[in-house]
Amino acid sequence: MLVMKIQTALESSRGMIGEPSTSVTDDSEPLPPGWSTGTDAEGRTFYIDHTNQRTQWDRPNATQLPDGWEERIDANGRTFYVDHHNHITQWELPTEAVRRTADDVERMRRQATEMFLTTRHQISDEGESRPTSGASRASISSSSSNSTLTSDQVLEELEPLPAGWSMSKTESGRPFFIDHNNRVTTWEDPRTSGKTNESTNNMPTMSVKSTDDLGPLPSGWEERTHADGRTFYINHVLRTTQWEDPRLAKLGGPAVKYNRDYQQKFNYFRSTLRKPDNLPNKVDIKVKRSDLLETSFQAIMTRKDATILKTRLWIEFDGEKGLDYGGVSREWFYLLSKEMFNPYYGLFENSAVDNYTLQINPLSGTLQSNHLEYFKFIGRVAGMAAFHGRLLDGFFIRPFYKMMLDKEIGLQDMQSVDLEYYNSLNWIIHNSVEGLDLTFSVNEEVLGQTVEHDLKRNGASIPVTDSNKREYVSLVIKHRFCGRIESQMKAFNEGFNELVPAQLIKIFDENELEMLLCGIQDIDVKDWQTHTNYKGDYSPNHPTIVNFWKAIYLMSNESRGRLLQFVTGTSRVPMNGFKEMYGSNGKQLFTIENWGTVDKYPRAHTCFNRLDLPPYSSYDVLTDRLTKAVESCEGFEGVD
C-alpha cells in the first residue's frame, strides 16, 4: 500500500507514467542497484527508481554503459544518455545499433532550426498571431530514413533540453520553452539558439540578489513545478502550498514592532495641530529642481509670518505640470532633505561613528556667512514636515533630538556618537587622574590651528582631580554637544517652533521624536506585503504579484527605499509600519493596480501611494522594467 501511494504521488506530480509497454522483458535478469518492483491495483508491474525517486513501466536495463557514457535525468524526469567522447546526447540506451554520431546530431539540429523558422509566428500590435512565412505546418525529409518528420517529432528526437528547461504548447499547438532557472519563457529552442543564458545577460542594474544565493530550502519544504511552468512550494509540516519561495522571508528586513504608547502620543499630536481659520486654502511654493536648495530657501524664508506654512502645501516644480495632491510635496521634502543635510554645504557633517548619521557642523559659520538663517530655514522645513505628516530623509545623532526636547545629555549619549571619546571619558571616571595634568579646558583644531577653550571661567588654570573629575566630564560633554553649536541649534529650534510648539513635542522621547521626523530606515518587506492593496485582477497569488514581491525581497534595503520613494514620494516608513501610510485622503495603503500592456513601463501616483504595474509574464522582464522606471523617472505629469 505504501508503494502504491509513492507511485500514485509521483504519477500525479510528474506526469511520467503513461501506458505500460507491451514488449516482452526478461524477468530473470536482476534489477540494477536502487531499483525495485511494485504492482498497481490492476495487477500491472511497474518499477521504482529509489535513487531518482521516480517510477516507470519499462523494466530498467542492468547492462553496463559503454566507457565514456553517462545516464542522466532531464527536468521532465526523462532518462537520456551523455557521450562524453563526442559531446552529444541521445534518448536511447547506447548500444551499437542506436548510437548517433556527431554528424547525425548536427543534421537533426539543422532540421529543427529549419522547421522552427518555417513555423515561427509573430504577434501583431492587435495581439493576433500570424505566420511570417511559409505554411503553418511543414515537413522535412530525413536523409537517413526517407521518412517525413513533423516539427514536434524533430524537437522530440533532438537532444534533451538543458537542465532546468522544459517545453510546453499554447492552445494553438505552438511549442514554447520554459526556463525554470530564470523564470522566463521563450519561443526559441535553447538547443538550437545556443542562448540558454540569454536572459541572464541583461540583468537590471538595481541591486537585486540572485536566487542561487538563497541556499537550500528549509526543512520540510519541497519545490515543484506547476503544469503551467510556475514554481510552487510545499510545506509538508503544515501540509500547505504557496507560490512564494520560503527562503525569501529571511531577506525581508527587521520586523516592525508596534508601539501602542507611541501611537497614542502620535494621535494626540496630530489632533492638536490645527490650521488657523483665517488662512487661505493653500500656499504655493514654486521651486526648481536644478537649484532646489536656494529656490526653496527663497520660497520659505521670504514669508515673514510662518503661520501661512500651516495651510495646505502646493508644491510646483518649474516646467512640470504635476498637480500636488500630496505626492509632489512628499518628493519635495525627500529631495530637499538630501540637499539641506549634504555635508558639501558645510551646515552638517557626518558623525564619527558612521557616514550617514548627521550632526551640526560647529564650523558652519566659517563656511556660510548667513548660516544661522539657513538653520532657521531648516528648522521651518522640519516643522512643516511634522505639521503636515511628512518625513525627512536624514538621521541625526541622538543628542540632537535631546536638545530639541531640552533634555540633559549624558556620557551614554557620547558612546553612540564617538566611541573613542567615550572610552577616554569613561576611563577618567573609573580611574585616578592624578598626574595626568588635566585642566578644565579642551584643545580643538580649527582650520588647521589648535585653539584652547575653557570649560569654565579660568578653566585652563584649574586642575582636574579625583574629586572634581565628574564635573569635568559633564562640562566636556556639554561643550562637545551643546556649547560648540549653541547658536545653530537655537536658530533651528526657532524655525521649528514657529510651526510646532516646543511643549507639544515633549510628549515624545528622543527615540520617538526621531521616528516622528524621519520614520524608519530599515524596510520590513513582510509588513509591506501584508498592508498592500490590489486593484484590477491582481491578487496576492497572481504571477506578476508573486514576481514583484520576489524582486522586493531580493533587493537591497537602499533599492527598496528608492522604489518606495518612486511610488509614495518618500523612502521612509512611519513608526508603526506600512499600515499607517498616508495619502491625499488620509490613510492610504500601498496599492498595486493592473494597468497597461507588457510593452509599457510601470508608473506611479504618489498622492495615492499607487503603482500601476503591467502584467509582465516573467521575473526578469519585471525587474528590468521596474528598475528602469525607478532609475530614469523624474518629474510629474498630471495628478500626483
Side-chain angles (χ1 to χ4, degrees), residues 319-344:
E320 299 178 17
K321 301 177 183 179
L323 302 180
D324 186 8
Y325 288 101
V328 182
S329 63
R330 276 199 296 268
E331 172 152 4
W332 176 68
F333 278 109
Y334 171 79
L335 297 175
L336 183 57
S337 298
K338 291 186 172 298
E339 289 292 298
M340 293 189 306
F341 305 142
N342 189 344
Y344 171 81

Side-chain angles (χ1 to χ4, degrees), residues 281-287 289 311-317 320-334 384 388 390 568-569 582-585 605-609 635-640:
N281 291 330
K282 64 184 179 72
V283 55
D284 294 317
I285 299 177
K286 298 182 179 181
V287 296
R289 287 185 182 269
T311 192
R312 181 175 185 175
L313 303 178
W314 192 266
I315 310 297
E316 181 179 337
F317 287 98
E320 299 178 17
K321 301 177 183 179
L323 302 180
D324 186 8
Y325 288 101
V328 182
S329 63
R330 276 199 296 268
E331 172 152 4
W332 176 68
F333 278 109
Y334 171 79
M384 292 165 62
H388 295 284
R390 303 293 186 254
T568 68
Y582 277 80
S584 59
N585 299 316
H605 301 271
T606 54
C607 57
F608 305 121
N609 297 333
F636 292 90
E637 293 290 338
V639 178
D640 278 283

Side-chain angles (χ1 to χ4, degrees), residues 273-552:
L273 296 175
R274 297 292 183 184
K275 185 193 79 168
D277 295 333
N278 59 343
L279 295 181
N281 291 330
K282 64 184 179 72
V283 55
D284 294 317
I285 299 177
K286 298 182 179 181
V287 296
K288 295 181 179 180
R289 287 185 182 269
S290 58
D291 194 14
L292 187 61
L293 182 61
E294 287 300 321
T295 54
S296 298
F297 178 84
Q298 295 298 326
I300 299 300
M301 298 308 292
T302 53
R303 304 179 188 275
K304 300 301 181 182
D305 186 2
T307 307
I308 188 66
L309 300 175
K310 294 181 179 181
T311 192
R312 181 175 185 175
L313 303 178
W314 192 266
I315 310 297
E316 181 179 337
F317 287 98
D318 184 49
E320 299 178 17
K321 301 177 183 179
L323 302 180
D324 186 8
Y325 288 101
V328 182
S329 63
R330 276 199 296 268
E331 172 152 4
W332 176 68
F333 278 109
Y334 171 79
L335 297 175
L336 183 57
S337 298
K338 291 186 172 298
E339 289 292 298
M340 293 189 306
F341 305 142
N342 189 344
Y344 171 81
Y345 295 108
L347 300 174
F348 292 87
E349 62 183 4
N350 295 323
S351 70
V353 69
D354 54 48
N355 61 355
Y356 63 85
T357 307
L358 298 165
Q359 62 187 15
I360 293 177
N361 184 357
L363 302 179
S364 61
T366 61
L367 303 173
Q368 292 275 1
S369 58
N370 60 340
H371 68 122
L372 296 182
E373 277 295 302
Y374 275 94
F375 278 106
K376 184 177 180 179
F377 158 70
I378 294 171
R380 277 192 180 184
V381 173
M384 292 165 62
F387 189 94
H388 295 284
R390 303 293 186 254
L391 296 173
L392 301 176
D393 188 63
F395 288 92
F396 302 96
I397 59 175
R398 195 53 41 86
F400 179 87
Y401 302 107
K402 280 194 168 185
M403 285 185 280
M404 289 184 65
L405 299 172
D406 198 22
K407 285 188 174 182
E408 183 178 353
I409 300 173
L411 181 59
Q412 291 302 318
D413 296 305
M414 177 68 76
Q415 184 179 16
S416 63
V417 177
D418 193 330
L419 185 59
E420 184 177 354
Y421 213 125
Y422 164 80
N423 289 333
S424 299
L425 296 178
N426 193 48
W427 187 93
I428 290 175
I429 290 178
H430 294 91
N431 296 274
S432 175
V433 296
E434 301 296 337
L436 295 182
D437 295 330
L438 293 177
T439 63
F440 276 78
S441 63
V442 292
N443 293 328
E444 296 177 330
E445 185 174 331
V446 179
L447 300 178
Q449 296 182 350
T450 301
V451 178
E452 185 179 54
H453 178 81
D454 287 344
L455 298 175
K456 57 193 302 187
R457 188 174 182 179
N458 299 322
S461 60
I462 301 175
V464 177
T465 64
D466 289 338
S467 60
N468 64 10
K469 63 183 181 182
R470 289 187 177 274
E471 179 189 7
Y472 168 77
V473 170
S474 177
L475 291 175
V476 168
I477 294 173
K478 183 178 179 180
H479 171 73
R480 172 71 169 77
F481 290 121
C482 303
R484 299 189 303 166
I485 60 170
E486 183 177 1
S487 59
Q488 294 97 318
M489 195 69 205
K490 181 180 178 181
F492 175 89
N493 284 332
E494 181 182 351
F496 184 86
N497 297 145
E498 286 178 332
L499 289 106
V500 180
Q503 290 301 317
L504 184 56
I505 64 171
K506 288 185 178 180
I507 62 175
F508 302 103
D509 62 27
E510 59 274 13
N511 297 318
E512 294 168 337
L513 182 59
E514 179 183 47
M515 294 298 102
L516 176 70
L517 295 177
C518 306
I520 298 174
Q521 183 180 24
D522 292 320
I523 297 175
D524 178 9
V525 178
K526 191 63 178 177
D527 178 63
W528 187 355
Q529 189 175 6
T530 301
H531 298 102
T532 293
N533 285 337
Y534 302 99
K535 289 188 176 182
D537 63 347
Y538 277 163
S539 66
N541 289 329
H542 191 282
T544 301
I545 298 301
V546 172
N547 284 333
F548 174 83
W549 290 116
K550 177 183 175 182
I552 301 301

Side-chain angles (χ1 to χ4, degrees), residues 158-282:
L158 200 62
E159 64 188 58
L161 289 166
W165 285 77
S166 63
M167 184 181 72
S168 187
K169 293 182 180 180
T170 64
E171 294 181 357
S172 62
R174 180 186 178 190
F176 64 93
F177 301 88
I178 306 170
D179 179 0
H180 298 287
N181 300 317
N182 298 304
R183 310 291 195 269
V184 296
T185 59
T186 178
W187 298 115
E188 295 187 58
D189 189 332
R191 296 167 295 186
T192 60
S193 65
K195 297 179 181 180
T196 57
N197 294 321
E198 181 179 13
S199 59
T200 61
N201 294 333
N202 298 315
M203 291 298 292
T205 57
M206 183 177 284
S207 176
V208 181
K209 297 181 181 179
S210 169
T211 54
D212 297 335
D213 301 331
L214 296 179
L217 288 169
S219 177
W221 285 83
E222 179 185 356
E223 177 181 329
R224 288 189 184 179
T225 302
H226 194 267
D228 62 0
R230 296 174 63 193
T231 300
F232 67 97
Y233 301 87
I234 304 174
N235 185 344
H236 292 287
V237 178
L238 301 177
R239 297 184 178 182
T240 59
T241 61
Q242 64 185 51
W243 296 110
E244 184 177 293
D245 192 326
R247 296 169 295 182
L248 296 175
K250 64 183 179 181
L251 304 176
V256 174
K257 296 181 180 180
Y258 184 78
N259 189 325
R260 187 176 300 276
D261 182 55
Y262 171 83
Q263 183 62 39
Q264 293 174 346
K265 295 177 181 179
F266 178 78
N267 291 339
Y268 172 76
F269 177 80
R270 296 298 306 164
S271 65
T272 305
L273 296 175
R274 297 292 183 184
K275 185 193 79 168
D277 295 333
N278 59 343
L279 295 181
N281 291 330
K282 64 184 179 72

Side-chain angles (χ1 to χ4, degrees), residues 589-629:
L589 294 183
F590 188 91
T591 303
I592 305 176
E593 181 168 2
N594 190 338
W595 165 84
T597 55
V598 295
D599 61 322
K600 304 291 186 181
Y601 283 91
R603 66 181 186 182
H605 301 271
T606 54
C607 57
F608 305 121
N609 297 333
R610 191 179 83 215
L611 175 67
D612 289 346
L613 185 67
Y616 302 121
S617 59
S618 74
Y619 169 77
D620 283 347
V621 173
L622 184 145
T623 53
D624 177 71
R625 294 298 177 91
L626 195 60
T627 299
K628 290 178 179 177

